[in-house]
């Protein structure tokens, strides 16, 4: 018995050490980028590999705020992310609840069609959307980009929310109906509070997608003043003459900070919000 206990302890210790080593290896690129953001311009071209900056400086972070329109890019990203999140979740929550609770003709075909549309790469639709936006005068428009993002993320949101609504027992809603509650009250007072983990996680996933997306942002936003953070980062390293890796990594670290803060705030909802929505189709 004692030998078996020692054997299990050794196995668990080896497993923990393996996982810690994997985590450390995965952190190396992030730590190197963080180190480079605090280094002088010559450090990026050096053949030596250092995780601790040799010539520590704050100038790269200072340059991001003073020499680049970083705050303008941040404002554009915040408007697009929040606008897309509100629009996508508004449609997705109501649509997912209807598909989960009501049985109507074409319900399964509708869900399969949405899933199939999501399988195609977004770049396939880019040319058609560009022509459409040009005709409707929506190029360089935040509204146009919000419509594209919301349409793209609605499919994921509907599928994830439907899976979570399926886990909520219908008997709770039937009991509320017997007590005289209407559909709107049941939705507002019972269903939405119970589905809060899935709503929060799905909304944050939509927000992260918009925050990091640059393909549509750099195609449909043609002026530097309308770039998002991802589009601005792309412009920082696009030119061979103005490219500065320490400046680029400093901007990349600043772009990542808001998402990291949001992630740590909602991490307690991540497991229940994603697994419950993902396991039921």
């Amino acid at each position: 018995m004692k030998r078996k206990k020692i054997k299990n302890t050794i196995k668990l210790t080896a497993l923990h050490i393996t996982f810690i080593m994997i985590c450390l290896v995965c952190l190396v690129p992030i730590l190197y980028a963080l180190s480079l953001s605090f280094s002088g311009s010559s450090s990026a071209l050096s053949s030596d590999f250092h995780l601790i900056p040799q010539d520590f400086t704050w100038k790269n972070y200072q340059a991001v705020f003073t020499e680049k329109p970083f705050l303008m890019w941040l404002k554009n990203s915040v408007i697009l992310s929040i606008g897309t999140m509100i629009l996508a979740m508004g449609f997705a929550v109501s649509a997912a609840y209807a598909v989960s609770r009501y049985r109507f003709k074409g319900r399964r075909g509708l869900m399969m069609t949405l899933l199939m549309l999501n399988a195609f790469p977004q770049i396939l639709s880019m040319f058609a959307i560009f022509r459409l936006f040009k005709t409707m005068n929506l190029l360089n428009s935040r509204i146009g980009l919000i419509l594209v993002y919301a349409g793209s993320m609605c499919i994921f949101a509907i599928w994830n929310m439907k899976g979570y609504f399926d886990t909520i027992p219908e008997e709770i809603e039937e009991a509320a109906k017997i007590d005289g509650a209407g559909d709107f009250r049941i939705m507002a007072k019972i269903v939405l509070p119970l589905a809060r983990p899935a709503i929060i996680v799905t909304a944050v996933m939509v927000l992260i997608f918009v925050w990091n997306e640059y393909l549509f942002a750099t195609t449909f936003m043609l002026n530097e003043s309308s770039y998002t953070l991802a589009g601005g980062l792309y412009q920082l390293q696009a030119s061979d003459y103005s490219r500065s890796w320490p400046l680029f990594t400093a901007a990349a670290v600043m772009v990542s900070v808001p998402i990291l803060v949001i992630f740590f705030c909602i991490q307690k909802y991540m497991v229940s919000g994603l697994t419950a929505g993902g396991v039921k189709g």
Side-chain angles (χ1 to χ4, degrees):
M1 188 70 183
K2 189 177 179 181
R3 181 178 294 178
K4 187 177 180 182
K5 190 176 179 181
I6 294 173
K7 194 175 179 181
N8 288 335
T9 304
I10 293 173
K11 283 183 179 178
L12 283 175
T13 304
L15 194 63
H16 289 163
I17 291 174
T18 303
F19 285 145
I20 290 171
M21 293 300 293
I22 292 173
C23 290
L24 290 176
V25 170
C26 293
L27 281 174
V28 168
I30 298 173
L31 293 176
Y32 181 67
L34 190 63
S35 169
L36 197 59
S37 69
F38 288 107
S39 302
S41 57
S42 60
S43 300
L45 303 177
S46 172
S47 58
D48 298 330
F49 181 82
H50 298 287
L51 287 180
I52 299 175
Q54 298 299 299
D55 48 346
F56 187 91
T57 178
W58 290 93
K59 286 184 180 178
N60 298 316
Y61 287 92
Q62 187 180 358
V64 168
F65 285 103
T66 57
E67 298 176 11
K68 304 293 178 185
F70 185 82
L71 295 178
M72 178 67 73
W73 298 340
L74 177 65
K75 175 187 168 187
N76 292 334
S77 286
V78 169
I79 292 173
L80 287 173
S81 301
I82 294 178
T84 301
M85 188 176 65
I86 293 172
L87 187 63
M89 292 305 295
F91 280 101
V93 170
S94 52
Y97 182 75
V99 174
S100 173
R101 287 296 185 263
Y102 300 104
R103 301 293 180 264
F104 51 88
K105 192 175 181 182
R107 167 178 166 272
R108 183 174 177 79
L110 174 66
M111 295 300 289
M112 289 298 112
T113 302
L114 289 176
L115 189 62
M116 192 168 60
L117 286 175
N118 205 35
F120 290 100
Q122 291 181 336
I123 198 168
L124 278 179
S125 60
M126 183 171 293
F127 181 70
I129 295 174
F130 189 89
R131 291 295 300 269
L132 193 63
F133 275 17
K134 192 174 181 181
T135 306
M136 299 173 68
N137 201 24
L138 284 176
L139 289 176
N140 271 325
S141 167
R142 291 172 184 150
I143 294 176
L145 210 51
I146 286 174
L147 290 175
V148 173
Y149 288 153
S152 301
M153 292 307 293
C154 251
I155 299 174
F156 160 76
I158 288 172
W159 268 98
N160 199 52
M161 290 304 305
K162 176 191 175 297
Y164 201 90
F165 285 140
D166 288 345
T167 64
I168 299 176
E170 293 186 34
E171 288 77 10
I172 297 176
E173 298 168 46
E174 291 170 358
K177 283 182 182 176
I178 292 173
D179 290 340
D183 291 337
F184 180 78
R185 191 173 182 184
I186 291 173
M187 188 75 176
K189 299 289 185 182
I190 298 174
V191 176
L192 292 183
L194 289 175
R196 188 172 61 174
I199 293 173
I200 292 174
V201 170
T202 308
V204 170
M205 295 296 285
V206 172
L207 188 143
I208 291 174
F209 168 80
V210 178
W211 194 266
N212 293 325
E213 202 281 335
Y214 80 96
L215 188 60
F216 285 144
T218 53
T219 303
F220 300 138
M221 294 298 192
L222 306 178
N223 298 329
E224 189 178 22
S225 60
S226 57
Y227 285 161
T228 61
L229 287 169
L233 281 179
Y234 176 77
Q235 291 301 317
L236 284 180
Q237 57 84 41
S239 171
D240 289 333
Y241 298 101
S242 59
R243 183 180 297 162
S244 170
W245 288 111
L247 184 67
F248 174 77
T249 52
V253 170
M254 294 302 298
V255 170
S256 305
V257 168
I259 293 299
L260 284 176
V261 172
I262 293 173
F263 180 81
F264 284 120
C265 289
I266 68 148
Q267 61 175 336
K268 66 179 180 180
Y269 298 111
M270 288 298 288
V271 176
S272 59
L274 284 177
T275 54
V279 295
K280 299 217 51 172

